[in-house]
Amino acid sequence: MRKDLVFGMAGSGGDGIVSAGDSLLQAASAEGYHGVMTKSFGSQIRGGESSCRVRISTDPVLNPGGNLDVAVALNWEDFLKFGAELPVAGTTVVIYEAATGVPENQIPLVGVTPLQVIAVPIAEMAKTHAGTERAKNTVVLGLIAGWFGIGAVAVMKGISKKLAKKSQELVAANQKAFDAGMAFAKEHPLKADMTILPLEDKGGVKLLTDGNDMCAAAAIFAGCQFFGGYPITPSTEIMQFFTNHVWKYGGAVLQAEDEIAGIGAAVGASFAGKKAMTATSGPGLSLKSEMMGLASIAELPLVIVDVQRGGPSTGLPTKTEQSDLFAAAFSAHGDVIRPVLAPTSVADTFRTTIEAFNIAEYYQTPVIILSDQEIASRKETLDPIDTTQFKIIDRLRPTGADLQDYKRFKQTENHISPISHPGMLGGTYLASGIEHVESGAPTNSGSVHARMNDKRTKKFDPLKERRDLFEITGNPDAPLALVAWGSVAGVCREALQMAREQGLDVKLMVPYLLYPVAEQTYRDFFASVQKGLVVEQSHLAQTFKVLRMHLDLPKGLQSLARSGANPFLPGEIVAALHHLLAELQRSHEGKLQPQE
């Protein structure tokens, strides 16, 4: 029996592959298992290939997993398009559509011999038992329930709930298709027992949600009352969530004609005194950069979510990547610092979004949340969130004394000035993109410009000292180290566990604050490091280079970076650590050579 199973399924648009994955994860969640589902599509507007990965475990899940335990191919052409996203190994059971006509000993996987290969007449079974090939995904769920022990009752309950709105006849037909899959599995047992361990303690009710919904829910919880934006993959669900829910809390949504108008409206809402937000993806972030500069010089709180996808330009719109760090940190004219935060999972997207609003409000600044396609779109099981742990911060408002002679951009000890809003008696001021004196009046003075640049940049010094924006795991004095953020952090967390179980002395840093760079926190972390890796999905190794701009990195610290749509696997990180350890040991052996 297994504690952990990773399923990968692929087919054509309309095969219901993603729907099957969703049903599988929901059933596992109902049975008390932990799980993650990621989806991947071709970039076609309609049709094309689609796939999903579902990882189900008796323990909390940190990432979508490594090599597949179970691969399901409804046709080989579409399956092979996903390449490294659905890696098959010698431990994988491969299930595929028999109608493809491919003999079991000739499946088109190069350089690998799976544990077992099974051709199943999936379409034929669907047509025979449900009367339509559209029930192929239900047959697949029956096969999975039969072979791998995922609660059959829970799976069929979920399918029934989904189809009951259409007709009871459809539910009955799918029940027959599901039973046929179960019966096939019983008649054709696997060579090895791959059923998942039953749970004695289901651990209570679990949430099943994705990163985009968690981001929007957290924003509303933090008090956001205005969203201005324009739909773009893979961030669109954030605006959809706001549209469905923020009106219940007195808020509003503007779907603007383009990205620039969307952020412009959000900047206006912030000037009007409301917590405001916009969301986009790479190309949209480029369009919003001038307005981000305006919000920076006007010192207006604003949260901008960038759900990263492969770039540049239209790039890989349906694949994940971590290549917008340069754009998030530096896409501004003039001398500007803006905080950049990154969640590492669906669960901490909630915390990170609240933190982004708190920082935006406290420091009166735009803040960027760098999510990524994997976190935004993947579904995770998670325990209910204790919202009483969160403190909500609002912007500093002027007192009655401040309003007697109100200076919006008054120089203060901590460089943060009280901010008024239209309609506040005595709080009228000019807010614009031009340099200004303390009252907001325009100026061309170089000395005033320098003082205001000081004000706008030095106010972030305390932010760089916050250690709670960094997760550090492992022996503080370890000679080996990993640094990773975003969705890659989950892979490295599992790699850290594996490496420590194998006796490696290694530690991991996960920064939630990417920019400004917290120099002292990194210096302290790197103090013991002789070899290490900065792991990221960026062809240019953007994180490694940003760190190198600000720090004298240990000589043994290397970049492990590559483009999107090629996910890292925990095992390869561990292998890289073993390689570093061997290098370290050789270098020490050299020092111990006897003198001649």
Side-chain angles (χ1 to χ4, degrees), residues 36-54:
V36 163
M37 183 182 90
T38 57
K39 300 172 281 188
S40 187
F41 306 91
S43 57
Q44 301 89 338
I45 300 298
R46 300 186 66 179
E49 68 278 10
S50 62
S51 78
C52 68
R53 288 174 62 105
V54 181

Side-chain angles (χ1 to χ4, degrees), residues 56-112:
I56 295 169
S57 178
T58 56
D59 298 321
V61 175
L62 301 174
N63 59 71
N67 294 325
L68 301 181
D69 297 302
V70 184
V72 180
L74 292 188
N75 69 72
W76 284 110
E77 183 180 355
D78 287 330
F79 187 90
L80 295 173
K81 287 178 181 174
F82 291 97
E85 296 176 76
L86 299 177
V88 173
T91 54
T92 308
V93 173
V94 175
I95 303 162
Y96 72 100
E97 170 59 75
T100 57
V102 177
E104 291 183 3
N105 61 353
Q106 294 181 24
I107 60 171
L109 295 172
V110 179
V112 61

Side-chain angles (χ1 to χ4, degrees), residues 337 363 460-467 470 513 516-521:
I337 294 176
Y363 292 99
F460 295 116
D461 287 348
L463 180 64
K464 295 194 291 183
E465 296 172 3
R466 282 188 52 184
R467 299 297 178 104
F470 296 81
L513 175 67
V517 173
E519 290 98 339
Q520 191 56 51
T521 302

Side-chain angles (χ1 to χ4, degrees), residues 48 140 151 179 204 313 435 502 587:
V140 169
D179 292 343
S313 190
E435 190 57 281
Q502 294 171 21
S587 66

Side-chain angles (χ1 to χ4, degrees), residues 18 24 27 47 82 87 146 206 245 247 249 264 266 268 275 280 289 316 338 377 393 437 446 459 539 544-545 573 579:
V18 173
L24 181 61
F82 291 97
K206 289 184 172 59
H245 298 288
W247 60 271
Y249 305 93
K275 292 187 179 181
T280 189
S289 62
L316 300 174
R338 71 172 73 96
S377 302
I393 295 174
V437 297
K459 66 182 178 182
H539 186 74
F544 185 76
K545 289 175 180 171
I573 306 295
H579 181 72

